[in-house]
Amino acid sequence: MRIAIQRVLCGLWFVGFSLIANAANGDLDPSFGTGGFRMAGILDGYATIPAGMAIQSDGKILICEAEGPSSSTDFFVARFTANGAVDTTFSFDGHTTVDFGGNADICSGIAVQADGNIVVSGTTTPSGGNSDFAVARLNSDGTLDVTGFGAGTGKAVYGFDLGGTNADTANSLALRPDGRIVVAGSAQTAANGTDFAILQLNTDGSRDTTFNLTGRVTVGFDFASSTSKDDSALHVAIDAEGRIVAAGLANRVAPSNTDMAVIRLLANGQLDPDFSADGRATLAFDLGGAGGSNADGAFGMTLDRDGRIVLAGFADSGTTATQNGDVAIARLLPDGSPDATFGIGGKTTIAFD
């Protein structure tokens, strides 16, 4: 199987753009690969869409995903040079895998430390179910860091185990300036719901007990009108004051009426009362008409230089049970309120249709 690598600044994956004679902003970069993209036939068997990407200080490109037979996947990590060629200095052939022993090990986050080591995170699911967060650290050459991470293995597994089937899913990764690791996702807390789940680790992979005493925090939005209460963090970042900001979606009305959702945690893991009064904020686009799901969610997030939170995701504008998703962008002020100077009430959508 081949991976298509294209030079795009936002970290999204695109296929099928054409290159015009005089490249302008937004066109493919002709200095990268062939006409702005490069195909690399480095996968065998089943593979997911690349879920994580990072750029090293030297311009090299890292991606992570899952690879292997569909019944038993491993973390897959690949590195490319700044011009898109497979980097053979990384694990000799440009890619490596990490096996946590689960039937489905899926990588969803990747980040590069100041020393060049590479942290990857995701989810591992053993044969009996009950998925957990999984984190590994690679040396810059692609080998597992068995001397400094994960008690001699270079990898570790972390469960929240709060109820239901104990299905915990890791979706995003961020690094603090001191090297501590923050992973965000969801943790099942009962048979009918999940909460935002945040894990903070020391640099050696042990849970950071200065963070909520256990290194783990869960936050639910728990709308009274929802019977499913499925809340999930899909992206995480560390702000200039060391607070954790996580964004995703929260279930407002069962089964699929969701809103963009954001939390902010203090460095000790407690909800920040200066953010939307209780540390939690939601944004509803509600563009769907009668019969529509009004399913809104934030899949990406960045913090601008003024501390505002920019969310990117989708908003369902369909009027039937069949969703019609539009690109949705929102911006919050540092206190968690919508930025009225952006779009309409802090929100805007783009329909490609």
Side-chain angles (χ1 to χ4, degrees), residues 212-253:
N212 198 40
L213 302 180
T214 63
R216 297 171 295 188
V217 168
T218 57
V219 179
F221 287 80
D222 297 336
F223 288 109
S225 55
S226 177
T227 57
S228 60
K229 303 185 189 306
D230 284 323
D231 308 330
S232 182
L234 303 175
H235 198 94
V236 68
I238 312 298
D239 72 10
E241 297 184 32
R243 298 170 300 196
I244 295 172
V245 183
L249 53 84
N251 225 157
R252 178 153 48 94
V253 179

Side-chain angles (χ1 to χ4, degrees), residues 43-81:
L43 286 174
D44 295 315
Y46 172 83
T48 62
I49 295 173
M53 185 172 73
I55 308 297
Q56 295 187 173
S57 59
D58 59 3
K60 290 183 177 180
I61 302 163
L62 288 155
I63 65 165
C64 79
E65 56 178 293
E67 187 264 349
S70 58
S71 60
S72 180
T73 59
D74 296 331
F75 279 26
F76 175 89
V77 185
R79 190 165 73 192
F80 302 84
T81 65

Side-chain angles (χ1 to χ4, degrees), residues 2-8 12-19 28 35-39 49-50:
R2 293 180 176 179
I3 290 180
I5 305 296
Q6 294 173 278
R7 177 169 288 178
V8 288
L12 301 176
W13 298 86
F14 294 93
V15 177
F17 281 77
S18 62
L19 183 68
L28 289 173
F37 69 91
R38 184 183 294 274
M39 300 294 292
I49 295 173

Side-chain angles (χ1 to χ4, degrees), residues 196 230-234 247-251 258-261 296-299 314:
F196 276 38
D230 284 323
D231 308 330
S232 182
L234 303 175
L249 53 84
N251 225 157
T258 58
D259 293 343
M260 286 187 173
D296 309 326
F299 277 80
F314 69 92

